[in-house]
Amino acid sequence: MLDWLLLTLQMLFFPGLVFQFAGAMVFEWIYRVSIASLEGRIGPPWYQPLMDFLKLISKEDILPKSANRWAATLLPVFSMACVFTAGMYVPFAGTVFDSFEGDLVMVVILLSVPSLGYFLNGWATGGSYSLIGANRSLLQYFSYEVPFLTAVAGPAFMAGSWSIIVIKDYQSQFLSLVFLAPLGFLVALVALIGKLKRNPFDIPKAKSEIVAGPLTETSGESLALWHLTLQVQALIGIFLLVNLFLGKVYPGALVNFLFFLGKAVAVQILLGLISVGYARTSIANLTDIGWKVLVPLSLLQFLVLVIVKGLA
Amino acid sequence: MSRLVIPIGPQHPILKEPISLKVEVEGENITHVDLQIGFVHRGIEKLVESLNWVQAVPLIERICGICSHVHTTTYCQGVEQLAGIEVPKRALYLRTLMCELERIHSHLLWLGIVGRNIGQEAMFMYAWRDRELVMDVMEAFSGGRVSHQANTIGGVRFDPSPAETAAAQKLLAELESKVVALRNIVEHSESFISRTAGMGVMNRDDIRRYGLLGPVARASGVDFDLRRDRPYSVYPELDFKVIVRREGDVWARAMVRVEETMQSIAICHHIINKLPGGAVSVKAPRRVPVGEVISRTEAPRGEVVYYIRSEGGEHPARVKVRTPTLPTLASFPELLQGVSIADMTVIISGADLCIACADR
Amino acid sequence: MHTLITHLGIPPEAVGTIPPGISSIQLPAEALPDAAQYLLNIDQSAYLSAIIVQEWEMNFELIYLFTGNEDLCLRINLSMETPLIQSICRLTPAASFYEREAQEMFGIHFIGLDNPANLLLPENEHNHPMRQSHPEKEA
């Protein structure tokens, strides 16, 4: 009985719904403020992401006649469920809900489900902007997913385990893997930008080209859930990178907590920096970057790790 | 992949003003463009005929929200020529000063929009922040940020004191350092160059066939600037360089525009230093003698042509306005053939459209 | 310009100027394509700058403004009843938009215009609002 109660509480509060929701809001705010300060603006107040969410969710959901209402309603819910589930298995400052051998693979796959949902949303809601955006998002998916997988395979190989918590503990014994695998970290970071569809890889929803891509015809609750999905995806992606590449644990619960948070915020600000510094790439460029730059780099990094492990 | 028609406009994030491009795409590439304009046609040419000579000035100012001063300058200059009015030197200097301030403001506005459309929000923020400085100068002079109401037939309607011109020079000096920073971004930023170089290339022949003008023509190696080649107002007394580049792509257009902004700042300093004293306007007669005139000026986007005819009465008999955006629009269907959707936005914004001017 | 005058055999009284000193040549409507072609050929920097249309008491007048090494206006009179003229948009595509505007605003018919649809006015508006006979305001 108590087990069930505990499980429900965990799912609802920590590390489940409420925690991830709040985290996503805070991190979204950090992202917006960091971009704003780099662009010479002030940026929104801290509650802005929450207000945006509340406003959208209270609005009417309008769809074109040609849209598939079932798909358009269910896709964001399903995608959101996937990222929230992934979030349950990514350790936060050393504490984790549950872990098993192979949870890294599961998390990576769950994190990529929204990309598929995003693509399907474009087809389900109809409209020419949505269709082009959907095609682009699929093309983009194939460009960043392989490098992302190869990059996160590096730490798993070093630790000899596909469990995030083991990889993290492995780093506590030595040093954070980013020092050994800087290229892998960079590749994973760039691929993460592609995953989150943020500038310079916001090609599927390029505002000045196809308005909002697959989400053009989405409105109200569905749009709110899509935004939330992408924001939680950002949070979990960042936590994952911090665990895999910057996973050194510091003594003392509070110190460790602060360090973890600091690292996550730093990664978020780094993402903002990249976003401000570059113009949007074109889709042809993205495929080039994905397959001619990121994949070779991540393979090279893997090779280096193999040699290092062989020597050690 | 099947063909798809995507509507760009009348409402679309890249467009600041309404035009409609029905773009037929195959995959990512454009196969056909159907252009429609006229959404903001207000019939100003017809309306002017029912107003008297002076009443027409504020109406003509409203042809455009960006280059409003250039339109009234061209109109007033033409009417003054028709009526044989001797405009005081100081008025001409002040009028030219406003023209150059407007050119700075228009070019910076354009740079920001291009930055935004290629996904570089930071450039938009910087360019528009810096543009505020020149807006402040214009506001201090004439009281208006967009519609200045600075011109009248026979002179100008503002007379800055030495303290005001000194303050303007200070702001302009501040602006200059910021434009240098922007020019460095345009010239050296890998990311900006990769999105604009080689886009929408037009050679001299294309420019001539379509009759393209201004910075677009000068970016394709056409060494023509009305300010130098058909001197009007006080331009013969000012020295400035006409910026010409040969590449003919959007990047060259950006370079021409930022360099021109630098030149315009220099011209402004020059004018303020040389500013003569005296009256700023003379009284204009109610009736203008019979005759016709073609008045031309170099607007931020190229040559503005006014044909004005008087039948000796209190009203203009015909005012024909030719703005530089019209030929630019005419070139789009051919220019956009075969480019990708991503490049299309760069090319459209690179042309610096002013739809309100084109539609009138 | 002088070569154009001799080329077309224009009488001296047809030559004039429009202030501020732009030369103008009065032409019959048939001579326009030939004159435009000749102008664009002899001056490699010449381009069509504008087509100005205006209505006199008895006729329409078209002014083709060419900008080049030397600016030149070609003036053509068209009758009120049959305002017909050859389009020059084949020679220079710049003419297309100007001609379309003249067509819808004044009802001047251009033969061989590449796209006869309305440019600025709504699709099915065929009232030629710039004509003097068109009321400024609806009653």
Side-chain angles (χ1 to χ4, degrees), chain B residues 137-149:
Chain B
V137 174
M138 290 195 286
E139 192 184 356
F141 280 164
S142 68
R145 283 160 58 84
V146 176
S147 280
H148 315 299
Q149 296 281 318

Side-chain angles (χ1 to χ4, degrees), chain B residues 58-251:
Chain B
L59 178 65
I60 279 170
E61 178 140 37
R62 274 147 188 83
I63 285 178
C64 180
I66 307 171
C67 41
S68 55
H69 182 77
V70 152
H71 281 280
T72 54
T73 301
T74 322
Y75 172 76
C76 292
Q77 185 178 302
V79 176
E80 283 152 9
Q81 217 151 29
L82 264 182
I85 300 169
E86 191 72 37
V87 184
K89 240 327 126 31
R90 184 174 172 84
L92 288 178
Y93 267 93
L94 287 173
R95 195 180 267 179
T96 312
L97 173 66
M98 208 53 149
C99 279
E100 291 306 320
L101 288 173
E102 200 171 67
R103 194 184 315 279
I104 299 169
H105 134 72
S106 172
H107 283 350
L108 286 178
L109 177 137
W110 173 83
L111 193 63
I113 288 174
V114 165
R116 183 177 168 281
N117 285 347
I118 63 170
Q120 208 161 29
E121 290 267 337
M123 188 133 142
F124 168 72
M125 295 293 168
Y126 290 146
W128 280 48
R129 182 196 63 196
D130 301 344
R131 177 173 153 268
E132 282 302 309
L133 292 170
V134 70
M135 302 286 274
D136 288 345
V137 174
M138 290 195 286
E139 192 184 356
F141 280 164
S142 68
R145 283 160 58 84
V146 176
S147 280
H148 315 299
Q149 296 281 318
N151 272 325
T152 184
I153 295 169
V156 292
R157 299 179 63 235
F158 66 106
D159 190 6
S161 65
E164 277 170 344
T165 52
Q169 271 191 313
K170 207 185 249 172
L171 283 177
L172 284 171
E174 190 186 337
L175 179 66
E176 186 160 12
S177 63
K178 296 197 162 160
V179 176
V180 169
L182 283 175
R183 187 186 60 186
N184 284 342
I185 298 179
V186 171
E187 197 172 359
H188 301 299
S189 160
E190 206 58 49
S191 170
F192 184 82
I193 294 171
S194 75
R195 290 294 280 129
T196 51
M199 303 274 168
V201 178
M202 290 194 137
N203 56 30
R204 290 189 64 161
D205 187 50
D206 295 330
I207 297 287
R208 186 168 164 247
R209 279 192 306 129
Y210 282 106
L212 297 185
L213 311 147
V216 176
R218 286 194 285 275
S220 296
V222 178
D223 190 3
F224 184 75
D225 190 322
L226 282 172
R227 291 178 291 172
R228 184 196 63 196
D229 299 313
R230 305 284 186 277
Y232 58 94
S233 198
V234 292
Y235 281 110
E237 295 163 31
L238 304 168
D239 46 78
F240 57 93
K241 235 170 57 203
V242 174
I243 312 292
V244 178
R245 289 196 83 90
R246 313 233 153 260
E247 293 88 343
D249 53 8
V250 174
W251 181 76

Side-chain angles (χ1 to χ4, degrees), chain C residues 35-86:
Chain C
Q37 175 86 68
Y38 187 76
L39 254 177
L40 293 172
N41 280 348
I42 53 164
D43 185 352
Q44 284 306 310
S45 63
Y47 63 90
L48 179 67
S49 219
I51 299 178
I52 299 152
V53 190
Q54 56 179 332
E55 189 180 340
W56 296 88
E57 259 148 42
M58 309 303 293
N59 59 312
F60 288 114
E61 185 184 27
L62 268 63
I63 303 176
Y64 287 70
L65 171 62
F66 287 88
T67 311
N69 290 333
E70 196 180 5
D71 298 346
L72 185 64
C73 287
L74 302 179
R75 311 186 73 141
I76 291 150
N77 284 330
L78 295 178
S79 77
M80 273 296 190
E81 294 73 39
T82 49
L84 257 177
I85 191 166
Q86 198 73 34

Side-chain angles (χ1 to χ4, degrees), chain A residues 94 171 235 258 296:
Chain A
Q171 294 175 66
L235 180 81
L258 287 178

Side-chain angles (χ1 to χ4, degrees), chain A residues 38 129 136 199 208 279-280, chain B residues 7 28 117-119 126 191 195:
Chain A
L38 287 165
Y129 301 128
R136 285 181 171 197
N199 195 30
S208 59
R280 184 186 307 120
Chain B
E28 280 274 324
N117 285 347
I118 63 170
Y126 290 146
S191 170
R195 290 294 280 129

Side-chain angles (χ1 to χ4, degrees), chain A residues 273-289:
Chain A
L273 198 68
I274 296 173
S275 161
V276 170
Y278 291 91
R280 184 186 307 120
T281 47
S282 62
I283 191 80
N285 270 349
L286 176 74
T287 341
D288 278 2
I289 292 171

